[in-house]
Amino acid sequence: MKRFLIVLLLLAIQMPLMTSKDREVPSIGAQVFIEPGQTEEEIDGYFRILADNNMDVARIRLFGSHVLMPDGSWDFSLYDTAFDAAEKYDIRLFITLFPPTDPTADVGGFKFPFSKTHLEDIGKYIEAAVTRYRDRPALDTWVLQNEPGNGGGRLPESDLLDEMRIRWREGHPAVTQQGSAPLAWNFDEEEFHNWCIAEYLRWISETVRKYDSRHGLHVNPHQLLDNLKEYDFDTYEEFLTSLGVSMHMSWHFGYFDRCQFPLGISVMSDIVRSAAGDNPFWITEMQGGNVIFSGNRILCPTGQEIEQWLWTGIGSGAEGVIFWMLNPRAAILEAGEWAMLDYKGEPSDRLTSAASVAAALRDNGRLFASSAPVKGDITILYNKESLWTQSWMADSIHDNANEGRKKSAVIKSVLGAYEALSVWGTMPEICEMQEYCWDDPEGKCIILPDMVSLPSDCIPKITEFVRNGGRLIMTGLTGYFNENMQCMFMKDSPLEECLGGKLKEFKAMETPYFSIEFDGTGTEVPAHMWKGIIEPVRSEVIARDGDDPVATVNSYGKGEAVWIPSLIDLGAWEKDILPLARLYGHFCEKQIQDFPLRLASPAENVIIRQMTSGDSIIAVIVNKNSFETELEFDGPIPDNARLLYGTAMPEGSRITLDPEECIVLTYRK
């Protein structure tokens, strides 16, 4: 027992990162659901279908409850059959470690050990599984845990958690009140929760590494936009070789209309690609089939949507996409659902659509082998402190009527800023504030959309960013609190010099939505709930509401700070994105012009992902409108452009796409 706790709690040990097999092109595959009752012929048939449909990777959940015998021995014969079939058809395997649990009541798997004894049992399962398959040619990557994180819920109280809490407190003394100092809040419980999740994943990785030092290590966060606040991606990078994400439109896309699903894939991919650091990222689970009793949204993807989703993920830089799933499980929750095969075991239109994308990737392997997303100089920053603060406040007031006071207000503001830039055909980067590279800011732009809490150590970085030539766009309630939930607009704000003014107050408006008209642009942008009134000191007023200055721009050092202390990103997300798009198009004009392709005017429900490959540009263009859409670009598309997928060809600076059409084209720079 002692050796397990030492490995779990020891922070200083750093294992060397292993790399999985080289991949020539982005991979497409599916989860093959293995369960008792399947015959060798059935299992062989699943892998044959993958190969016949141009898929080269599969994921298998290695159920501990299937292989643990009553006498404590292990019987892996069912999964041996799957490995044999994968090797027969040259399919690489992502194996999800899934320690024994009650399969009737724990469909997704437990997220944290229930006790020290449970931890020891988990270790025995890992040893048995890894030593069984570490030398099999089909093995590519170990998925350490299915969908880590529990949505911020409390971890199970146990002797194990007690010992971890003691260790945590030794290195993290609680904030205490002294004298007349302002009340200071802390998020120690949230920090402890995240640390426990990260340390459990580290322990799994180190346990695997005892027996296998060669294969990849991976996890797939889920419900990403809600669970961002509990993932410590920077720590994960220390022991993972790739980072993944689950994207189920029926579970994880509640903030998006169906026509926005490619936008949701794009934004989640950009978050995970940034969070992966130097590691590649995968879409480890993507919805592949119909839902009936499971899922929050009734949905069956169309073949066209499968194409759109795949190309959007690949255009966002995914190293691979694995569908959930090829064949359905037979019983209990999810039985008969989610599959890309019909009940007769034959390929659906969803599977054949995925096969056509996989074929296009294979046929253009050299081009895609060295492809990478175009990275622009516009970055939207978020931070956990804002997500924690907004969540804490929402739990305190339970206001379900006003978007600005819900848990989702911060992340929806991020989405509003992201969509407003995406409709120009240019994708911003998204990065956690503490992980952003603040070096060399000249010509770059950062957007802080409703970051209600700004950690004190980030304030000097933001100030220096502007002073040294960057552009800051700060909106909503950004900077209302510091990391201790102390209001920073009372007395002297630490950003006052950079912003060139002070905040007089916020005023709740009579209606939930109002408009701000910006001088010189003719743009009237929707905003939500609160009007922030500025007292300019050195800044120039660029918008007023009556006599109240509500937006300013300030030259500071070599850079510039734009301040709009009203919820314009959230207002645009809820009401109308185009006015905000025009505003950001004005403030980010230079950065938008630096993209290889950019639209002459913003286009709703259109996604354009751009990649570079050597001296070539690859563009994925998806039209989610229900009508034919003509796109006009800011300049002609080169004559050497050729189609890799789809039918619509550019004519000069225009492309006309049918409803729901997706094309992929390439041209030489």
Side-chain angles (χ1 to χ4, degrees), residues 387-516:
L387 298 170
W388 287 335
T389 297
Q390 187 75 31
S391 181
W392 191 93
M393 290 295 189
D395 284 340
S396 300
I397 58 179
H398 303 290
D399 183 352
N400 292 319
N402 296 293
E403 291 294 331
R405 301 212 297 177
K406 294 180 181 179
K407 291 183 180 182
S408 57
V410 168
I411 202 65
K412 281 187 175 181
S413 295
V414 170
L415 295 177
Y418 187 91
E419 185 181 23
L421 289 160
S422 76
V423 295
W424 290 99
T426 55
M427 292 299 176
E429 301 294 305
I430 301 185
C431 185
E432 211 284 331
M433 193 173 290
Q434 298 287 2
E435 303 306 317
Y436 181 67
C437 179
W438 298 92
D439 300 335
D440 191 24
E442 193 161 356
K444 296 178 181 177
C445 177
I446 57 172
I447 300 175
L448 308 184
D450 196 34
M451 290 300 106
V452 297
S453 174
L454 287 183
S456 300
D457 61 348
C458 287
I459 300 295
K461 298 175 183 177
I462 295 169
T463 300
E464 287 303 302
F465 176 88
V466 178
R467 189 201 308 272
N468 292 324
R471 168 169 282 172
L472 165 69
I473 301 177
M474 192 169 117
T475 71
L477 301 177
T478 296
Y480 192 93
F481 291 115
N482 64 11
E483 68 273 22
N484 299 127
M485 288 179 63
Q486 296 165 330
C487 182
M488 292 202 295
F489 289 127
M490 298 169 65
K491 300 181 180 179
D492 296 325
S493 167
L495 280 172
E496 180 180 322
E497 183 180 357
C498 174
L499 298 173
K502 303 178 180 181
L503 187 79
K504 291 184 67 176
E505 62 176 336
F506 286 106
K507 284 188 176 180
M509 304 299 282
E510 294 182 5
T511 58
Y513 295 93
F514 63 101
S515 296
I516 297 175

Side-chain angles (χ1 to χ4, degrees), residues 492-603:
D492 296 325
S493 167
L495 280 172
E496 180 180 322
E497 183 180 357
C498 174
L499 298 173
K502 303 178 180 181
L503 187 79
K504 291 184 67 176
E505 62 176 336
F506 286 106
K507 284 188 176 180
M509 304 299 282
E510 294 182 5
T511 58
Y513 295 93
F514 63 101
S515 296
I516 297 175
E517 185 173 353
F518 286 81
D519 299 342
T521 67
T523 303
E524 195 169 300
V525 179
H528 177 54
M529 289 190 66
W530 298 289
K531 175 179 70 175
I533 303 172
I534 300 170
E535 180 183 325
V537 177
R538 293 172 301 279
S539 57
E540 174 190 353
V541 177
I542 56 174
R544 294 180 185 271
D545 183 71
D547 294 330
D548 295 330
V550 293
T552 59
V553 60
N554 184 53
S555 295
Y556 179 66
K558 294 162 56 179
E560 191 173 71
V562 179
W563 189 18
I564 312 167
S566 299
L567 293 174
I568 59 170
D569 304 285
L570 183 56
W573 177 257
E574 294 293 329
K575 290 298 181 183
D576 185 0
I577 206 68
L578 290 181
L580 183 64
R582 288 189 285 270
L583 184 69
Y584 281 159
H586 171 71
F587 287 123
C588 305
E589 182 178 10
K590 178 186 180 301
Q591 290 82 9
I592 290 174
Q593 289 295 321
D594 287 341
F595 278 80
L597 290 176
R598 59 269 173 195
L599 293 170
S601 59

Side-chain angles (χ1 to χ4, degrees), residues 119-399:
L119 183 70
E120 187 170 87
D121 291 340
I122 295 167
K124 292 176 182 177
Y125 159 82
I126 294 172
E127 179 181 4
V130 175
T131 55
R132 181 77 175 190
Y133 294 118
R134 63 189 174 190
D135 295 323
R136 293 297 297 258
L139 177 62
D140 184 285
T141 293
W142 296 105
V143 182
L144 302 180
Q145 183 183 38
N146 177 60
E147 297 184 338
N150 62 347
R154 294 187 65 85
L155 299 174
E157 295 294 335
S158 69
D159 52 355
L160 174 63
L161 194 67
D162 289 343
E163 290 197 14
M164 294 187 73
R165 190 178 297 277
I166 291 171
R167 182 174 178 83
W168 163 259
R169 285 175 176 167
E170 288 175 352
H172 299 80
V175 174
T176 57
Q177 281 302 114
Q178 294 184 353
S180 59
L183 182 66
W185 184 257
N186 69 73
F187 289 102
D188 277 2
E189 278 302 307
E190 289 80 359
E191 292 273 12
F192 174 65
H193 177 278
N194 293 8
W195 179 82
C196 287
I197 292 173
E199 286 310 296
Y200 177 50
L201 292 175
R202 187 196 298 276
W203 175 83
I204 298 173
S205 74
E206 293 173 349
T207 306
V208 171
R209 285 289 182 241
K210 290 180 182 178
Y211 314 109
D212 181 356
S213 61
R214 296 183 295 114
H215 293 96
L217 303 178
H218 181 92
V219 293
N220 57 309
H222 66 123
Q223 199 71 39
L224 187 67
L225 299 182
D226 290 325
N227 291 349
L228 264 180
K229 57 184 177 292
E230 68 172 318
Y231 292 128
D232 190 354
F233 292 123
D234 190 44
T235 298
Y236 299 173
E237 190 181 358
E238 297 172 6
F239 51 82
L240 295 180
T241 62
S242 62
L243 181 64
V245 62
S246 289
M247 292 191 190
H248 298 309
M249 289 64 190
S250 288
W251 281 121
H252 306 148
F253 279 59
Y255 297 151
F256 303 96
D257 296 330
R258 192 159 183 166
C259 65
Q260 294 177 305
F261 284 175
L263 177 74
I265 292 169
S266 182
V267 70
M268 291 186 201
S269 294
D270 283 343
I271 290 172
V272 175
R273 176 164 52 84
S274 173
D278 293 331
N279 289 330
F281 93 92
W282 284 69
I283 300 176
T284 326
E285 293 186 22
M286 179 176 279
Q287 182 166 349
N290 184 56
V291 297
I292 299 174
F293 295 107
S294 60
N296 295 323
R297 185 193 306 238
I298 299 172
L299 172 71
C300 182
T302 67
Q304 282 183 307
E305 285 179 314
I306 292 294
E307 294 169 0
Q308 297 163 6
W309 300 350
L310 279 172
W311 281 119
T312 302
I314 291 162
S316 303
E319 184 162 326
V321 180
I322 302 175
F323 284 98
W324 181 268
M325 49 192 159
L326 181 70
N327 57 301
R329 68 173 83 199
I332 316 296
L333 186 65
E334 295 188 345
E337 301 182 66
W338 299 94
M340 302 187 86
L341 299 178
D342 63 22
Y343 292 152
K344 295 172 63 178
E346 297 176 353
S348 66
D349 60 333
R350 302 178 299 281
L351 182 56
T352 56
S353 293
S356 68
V357 175
L361 290 169
R362 178 198 61 204
D363 293 344
N364 297 278
R366 181 174 298 180
L367 185 67
F368 283 101
S370 58
S371 64
V374 171
K375 290 189 177 183
D377 287 331
I378 310 170
T379 304
I380 299 169
L381 299 182
Y382 70 92
N383 63 56
K384 289 180 185 175
E385 290 80 4
S386 292
L387 298 170
W388 287 335
T389 297
Q390 187 75 31
S391 181
W392 191 93
M393 290 295 189
D395 284 340
S396 300
I397 58 179
H398 303 290
D399 183 352

